[in-house]
Structures are given as C-alpha cells and as structure tokens.
Amino acid sequence: TARFSLPDDADDSETRASQLSDGPLATFAPMSTIVVEGGPRLSGTIGVLGAKNAALKEMVATLLAPGRHHLSNVPAILDVDLMCRVLEHTGCKISKAANELWVVVPDEPEPEAPIELVRQMRASIVVLGPLLARCGVARVALPGGDDLGARPIEWHLDGLEQMGAVFELVHGELVGRVDGRLRGAEVELPFPSVGATENVLLAGVLAEGETRIVNAAREPEIEDLIAHLGTMGARIDGGGTSLITIEGVEELSPADHRVLPDRLAAGTFAVAGAISGGDVTVTSCHPGHLRMELLKLEEAGCEVGRGDGWLRVAGPDRPQAVDFATLPFPGFHTDMHPQMVALLAVASGTSLITENLYDARFRYVGELARMGADITVEAQHAVIRGVDRLSGCPVLAPDIRAGAALVIAGLRAEGTTEVGDASHIDRGYEDFVGRLASLGARVQRVEDLP
Ligand code: EPU
C-alpha cells in the first residue's frame, strides 16, 4: 500500500506456511455450540469481572518497565490467554491464579509480535508503542481486517511517526524504528480511536518531553490504563477528556493494578434480563459507564435501577421500539449494539439504528433473521420491525458481541437455539453459559464432534 516504503528485496515469494495455516483461534478453541431453550425469565444477581479492553492494554503496559507486575480482577477469557502468549513471545514470564496475573518483564524484551498471534487478536497492535519506547525497534505483523471489517491502523502509525518513529512493511510485518528516544509531539487524531490513543499514550510515557493527544478517546478503559500507568510512575493529565497530556519520564517501575469492571459484560447481562422479561441485578460494576445504554433500556420500557457499584434491569413483557446510533464514549457503545438489536427484534414498533464505528458489524443480522427477526440493513443503518415471536434454530456467532446477542435472542425464542462457533464468545466473556444459567437460563455448552 502507498502508506509504506517497501524495501528493495520485498517480494511475495517468502511464504510462512506454518504460521498462515492457523485460522483464527485454531490453537485455542475446540469448536463448540451453546444451546439455549427459550422461555425462563432470568432473575437474580450476577457480579462482573474486569474489562477485557482494559486488561489487554494493561498487560501490554507492563512491557514499559522491567520487573514483576501484578494485575488483579483479570477476566479468564481467550483474549487474555492470547495476550499472555504475545508477552511470552517478547520474553516475559507469566503466572496466573484465578483472576490474577503476574508478569515478569525482562530487561531487554524481544521486540516482536508474530502473525499467528496478531491475526488471532488485533489488540496485539498496541505493543508497537511500548516496544518502540523500550527497544527502539518493533516488529509487529500487520493485522489486516477482521470480523468487524477492514479496521486500518494508519492513525496509530501517524502518531508514532510524529514522535520520531519510521515504519516499513517487510514481508507483511511492520518494522518500526526510532533513532534514540521517542520525542514528545502534538498528535491530533482525526477520530477518537481507542487503539490509536492507547498506542500514542504507551509511547509517550517514556518519550522525551511532552506529548499531547488531541481528540483522544475518552473511554473508561483508557482512564483505567492511565491510572495504571500513573502507579508505574507516568505523568499524565486529562484521562477521560479529549486532551491527554503526557510528560515523558526516563523510566517506570512495576506496579499493582486492579482492572476496572467490564461495562460490556454488565450491559450484556442487563439486556439478557430485559429480553427475558426478568429482573437482573449486576454488581461489581459502574453504572455510570453505561449511561446511554441504560437510558435506551429505559426508553424500551425496562425498569432500571442504579446505585454505587450496581445496576438492576427489569424487563417489560414486551419491549418498545427505540432508535439509537453508536458513537465513541460517552455515546452508545458499538459493542452493545447487537445485544440491543436482539431486544428490539421482539419490540412493539419499528426501531432505526445507525452503526458509526464498524462497516461490517451487521453480519449477524442474517442469523437473527433465520430466527424470525424482520430487519433491513442499508449501508450503516438498520430498520428493525419488531416481531411477536422469534423461533429457535441453528445460527453461527460471527464475533464476540454478536455471538452474545444470538444467545440472548435464544432466551426469548420459542424452542431451541443452537449458537455455533461459540468460541468467539469465550474471547470476551468469562463462563458466559455458567453465569446465564446461574440467573435461571436453560443454557448449556456442547463441544462439537471433531
Ligand atoms: N480506525 C481507522 N484507522 C485507525 C484506527 C481506527 O480507520 O488507524 C477506525 C476503525 O476501523 C474503526 C474506528 O476507527 O472503524 C474505531 O476504532 P478504534 O480504534 O476506536 O477501535 P479499536 O481500538 O480497534 C477497541 C475495542 C473494540 C471496540 C472499539 C470501539 C479493544 C481490544 N477493542 O477497538 O472492542 O469496539 O475499541 O470502542 O479495546 C470488543 O471488545 O468486542 C471490541 C471489538
């Protein structure tokens, strides 16, 4: 692509057959199916663990300081296992116990994230900033697209280039270099990208001088990452606002950090309760991180309660149609979109929703349609005409959140819904089946025959 300078010897002849043969999650997950019987109204209390999208970046942040780091409230999910492998590849030693993680970072990490890991988890790209800062070089496979569409990374690279890094593409691998130390810069993002904000932040903490991220993402997970970096000795202002200012320091030290609660797990259980017409309380969460999503559930006719560290959602017999558009925080989260559409599929009335973050997020709509949902998609909009009933059938989970949404739809459908490719759900939810069952869902997991 025009973005990179290709070295003279670059050609396509060097294939990496052994690496390319690994499909997504091939190494980890046996194929499995989640089987749901529709009907029961969920009730009870469920606690959530730490947020995937904070834990992954906080694991990467450990690369910034040699020594022994400790993270707690880490969810036991596939993506965390994958990030352990990314860190191990750089020479880190990792030990785990329940929801805790210890990472021992070497004095000289191996600055590389290979294709077989990056392909399975795009979030690996945030190692670029810390590896450049620590090692002056980073070799990271170009992630390419994924289940949610093209997902380019040019804003990550532009930001790091402004700080003195240069990149070239060598046989599908991005090779970044910096002469000496990264230099602070004013990086203005064209869009408040979560990953680009994090990469520049993780590079800026060890850069020379001040880095300003203008139009930074304001997600709570980034604020939590900033808190973590702060305990490591970083000097950062403006977390949770659109202007983050970082005063680079010479070195950081290992720290202890507790990952903030997963708002997406909390929101997913709330919608599960709502669609079943049940009454679910979620604890160990911050309802303030789900303001827009809870407002929309109220508009849909749910009774919503919130307090310090908990939220409660009681679903109506039949939800009402609502409109929403996904936006960066504090807007409606794109990762709550498919779950909410499952609810609106059985609402009275017609909902109009707009997806502003991903071009391929609607891939699950065809699966919901097999269950009887009446949804028309046009570009980034979907018109959802609520139907009286869904009927269970075999469907496939296309990604983490859509997978959860199909299971949720199954809670309301007549008969049995079988959600195949369920390993997608394991990437982001710890024991999703067990937790739904604890609320009274008739749900179980079946490992597919080889
Ligand atoms: N984008 C570009 N160029 C870039 C960077 C981003 O065009 O250089 C586009 C993306 O293609 C996308 C939009 O900007 O259309 C937003 O992407 P962003 O960079 O904000 O997302 P991300 O960092 O790749 C994280 C989460 C996603 C979540 C998004 C939005 C992690 C590991 N992933 O992705 O989470 O949807 O932010 O909030 O933090 C999930 O958990 O299921 C998940 C997909």
Side-chain angles (χ1 to χ4, degrees):
T1 79
R3 175 111 206 8
F4 307 102
S5 55
L6 288 173
D8 294 342
D9 67 339
D11 68 39
D12 291 335
S13 60
E14 184 183 307
T15 54
R16 302 180 177 200
S18 62
Q19 298 179 357
L20 292 177
S21 64
D22 268 356
L25 297 173
T27 346
F28 271 94
M31 296 313 281
S32 53
T33 299
I34 294 177
V35 182
V36 200
E37 291 289 331
R41 292 175 187 256
L42 303 196
S43 75
T45 299
I46 191 96
V48 292
L49 290 153
K52 165 176 89 77
N53 292 345
L56 295 176
K57 319 308 167 59
E58 288 159 0
M59 290 171 71
V60 169
T62 64
L63 287 171
L64 291 164
R68 186 175 159 92
H69 303 248
H70 176 236
L71 291 171
S72 56
N73 205 27
V74 178
I77 53 176
L78 276 182
D79 275 10
V80 163
D81 293 345
L82 279 167
M83 191 57 90
C84 286
R85 287 182 55 197
V86 172
L87 293 182
E88 280 167 352
H89 191 91
T90 67
C92 296
K93 299 266 179 289
I94 295 183
S95 38
K96 287 196 229 172
N99 295 108
E100 285 180 282
L101 206 61
W102 290 264
V103 183
V104 179
V105 177
D107 287 335
E108 290 182 15
E110 175 67 29
E112 189 187 51
I115 182 69
E116 68 270 22
L117 295 175
V118 177
R119 171 173 288 149
Q120 294 184 64
M121 188 182 55
R122 253 188 126 264
S124 321
I125 196 70
V126 293
V127 301
L128 261 186
L131 288 179
L132 279 169
R134 276 293 306 287
C135 314
V137 57
R139 296 185 302 276
V140 179
L142 197 64
D146 72 354
D147 305 324
L148 297 172
R151 298 183 79 184
I153 55 159
E154 78 277 21
W155 304 330
H156 302 228
L157 304 184
D158 288 345
L160 295 170
E161 277 177 350
Q162 278 177 265
M163 301 174 75
V166 287
F167 293 97
E168 58 179 1
L169 187 62
V170 186
H171 300 301
E173 193 175 60
L174 262 177
V175 180
R177 284 200 179 78
V178 58
D179 207 4
R181 201 169 154 197
L182 288 164
R183 296 179 293 279
E186 175 155 319
V187 174
E188 181 160 357
L189 298 175
F191 179 88
S193 152
V194 170
T197 301
E198 290 165 340
N199 239 331
V200 174
L201 175 64
L202 290 165
V205 287
L206 285 179
E208 190 179 341
E210 186 180 274
T211 300
R212 287 153 60 88
I213 311 178
V214 181
N215 198 23
R218 291 183 282 162
E219 268 65 10
E221 291 75 19
I222 295 180
E223 265 193 274
D224 197 56
L225 173 62
I226 289 175
H228 176 209
L229 291 168
T231 59
M232 292 174 69
R235 294 171 53 193
I236 307 166
D237 275 333
T241 77
S242 314
L243 176 63
I244 298 177
T245 308
I246 307 145
E247 186 57 48
V249 295
E250 302 240 333
E251 57 177 25
L252 296 167
S253 29
D256 247 316
H257 181 74
R258 183 176 172 83
V259 182
L260 94 164
D262 194 330
R263 61 192 163 120
L264 299 169
T268 301
F269 289 119
V271 178
I275 198 172
S276 72
D279 188 343
V280 167
T281 298
V282 185
T283 56
S284 312
C285 67
H286 291 316
H289 293 167
L290 281 167
R291 279 169 50 104
M292 192 55 71
E293 295 77 7
L294 293 178
L295 279 176
K296 290 293 166 184
L297 283 173
E298 273 173 328
E299 252 187 69
C302 298
E303 207 185 297
V304 177
R306 334 155 157 73
D308 191 14
W310 62 271
L311 61 90
R312 176 183 157 224
V313 172
D317 283 339
R318 185 157 189 205
Q320 289 149 28
V322 295
D323 301 338
F324 69 88
T326 64
L327 285 170
F329 189 80
F332 193 101
H333 201 312
T334 179
D335 291 338
M336 283 299 300
H337 145 178
Q339 302 89 314
M340 192 69 180
V341 167
L343 178 79
L344 298 178
V346 292
S348 60
T350 299
S351 308
L352 172 63
I353 74 150
T354 303
E355 168 57 48
N356 287 312
L357 275 290
Y358 294 120
D359 50 12
R361 173 120 258 179
F362 284 119
R363 284 184 7 174
Y364 67 93
V365 160
E367 302 298 295
L368 264 186
R370 305 190 67 230
M371 299 176 71
D374 181 354
I375 304 175
T376 308
V377 176
E378 182 63 47
Q380 80 265 42
H381 307 289
V383 175
I384 305 144
R385 294 171 208 87
V387 294
D388 293 336
R389 59 187 193 97
L390 295 174
S391 64
C393 65
V395 289
L396 287 179
D399 63 72
I400 306 177
R401 310 300 166 189
L406 290 166
V407 173
I408 284 174
L411 297 170
R412 177 81 180 211
E414 286 175 6
T416 307
T417 302
E418 291 166 25
V419 183
D421 285 354
S423 51
H424 280 293
I425 299 172
D426 305 332
R427 294 188 53 184
Y429 294 92
E430 178 174 330
D431 190 21
F432 193 50
V433 165
R435 300 173 138 240
L436 284 176
S438 77
L439 294 171
R442 280 203 294 269
V443 56
Q444 58 173 312
R445 189 181 180 103
V446 181
E447 298 310 326
D448 295 348
L449 294 174

